[in-house]
Amino acid sequence: MRLFHWALVATIALAFLSSEEDGPLAAWHVSAGWVAAVLIVFRLLWGFVGGEHARFVNLVRLSRIPGHVRGLFAGRVHASIGHNPLGGIAVLVLLALISATVFTGNTGGEEPHELIAWTLLAMIVLHVVAVVAMSFLTRDNLIGAMVMGRKKTTHFPNAQDARPPARAAIPLAAVVVASSAFVATQIDPEAFTPGARAEVGEGGEADED
């Protein structure tokens, strides 16, 4: 999951940095979108067959949200082993916004694409601020846990290791990722070839001359 998380972070960062048509990274924008799409497909699968804290059933805890929010306003904040109730919802919202950004980018809706992309950026900023704030309030190094994939047992003396992914999870994920990449190339033959469109455009202009 850490590999997925940071790969997605890098891909989204590249997508934003390459969003200007005349920018030095513009050639990478579409490819970054397709990589993000493949990563999202992987995450959707992993939400059902992945490890304990990656599964959607453990992310969505609607019944715990009211108590969690009341605790935040009352200053009673407790560390959690996995995502806290609002953190789990944030994950789903981010996945939905990334999916919508990729979809509108490929369907040619420039205005909705930009609107959703900026909404995604705002949500990412909010997510980072929340992680830093919760790390401070709970004295639990969430950023370190995101990097290393482990938490100290200081707050959880009786905690056990999370349940691992299903046995078939990794080979199944490999098949799904490969299939998704193949489908992407059928939709867009230059999906994973940065700069291919620019080269075609330059060639077209030369032919016209």
Side-chain angles (χ1 to χ4, degrees):
M1 274 302 298
R2 296 194 305 280
L3 179 60
F4 157 80
H5 182 271
W6 294 110
L8 187 60
V9 168
T11 301
I12 297 302
L14 178 59
F16 272 101
L17 292 173
S18 61
S19 59
E20 293 296 330
E21 292 184 3
D22 298 327
L25 297 175
W28 290 84
H29 188 68
V30 173
S31 294
W34 280 115
V35 172
V38 172
L39 289 172
I40 290 298
V41 171
F42 163 79
R43 184 60 181 91
L44 292 177
L45 171 68
W46 210 247
F48 296 99
V49 302
E52 179 179 357
H53 299 306
R55 297 198 176 197
F56 294 135
V57 68
N58 294 321
L59 286 179
V60 183
R61 301 174 179 178
L62 297 179
S63 61
R64 298 186 183 183
I65 292 178
H68 178 68
V69 173
R70 286 195 297 269
L72 288 175
F73 281 105
R76 298 189 304 272
V77 183
H78 304 287
S80 58
I81 297 179
H83 293 87
N84 64 44
L86 287 181
I89 296 298
V91 169
L92 297 182
V93 171
L94 286 169
L95 291 176
L97 285 171
I98 295 170
S99 300
T101 304
V102 171
F103 177 77
T104 52
N106 283 302
T107 55
E110 185 172 349
E111 289 188 7
H113 178 64
E114 291 184 354
L115 175 61
I116 296 172
W118 284 110
T119 303
L120 169 62
L121 182 60
M123 186 63 192
I124 290 172
V125 171
L126 178 61
H127 180 59
V128 172
V129 170
V131 168
V132 173
M134 290 302 293
S135 294
F136 176 77
L137 293 173
T138 63
R139 300 185 183 280
D140 189 17
N141 187 358
L142 299 179
I143 297 175
M146 292 167 67
V147 174
M148 303 302 297
R150 302 186 68 85
K151 284 189 175 184
K152 293 182 178 180
T153 58
T154 306
H155 299 287
F156 322 101
N158 299 318
Q160 298 180 347
D161 287 342
R163 289 190 297 274
R167 289 184 179 181
I170 293 178
L172 181 59
V175 170
V176 168
V177 167
S179 300
S180 301
F182 175 76
V183 171
T185 59
Q186 298 305 297
I187 297 173
D188 180 0
E190 288 84 33
F192 304 109
T193 311
R197 289 170 180 77
E199 293 174 2
V200 171
E202 291 172 2
E205 290 174 3
D207 291 337
E208 289 175 6
D209 294 336

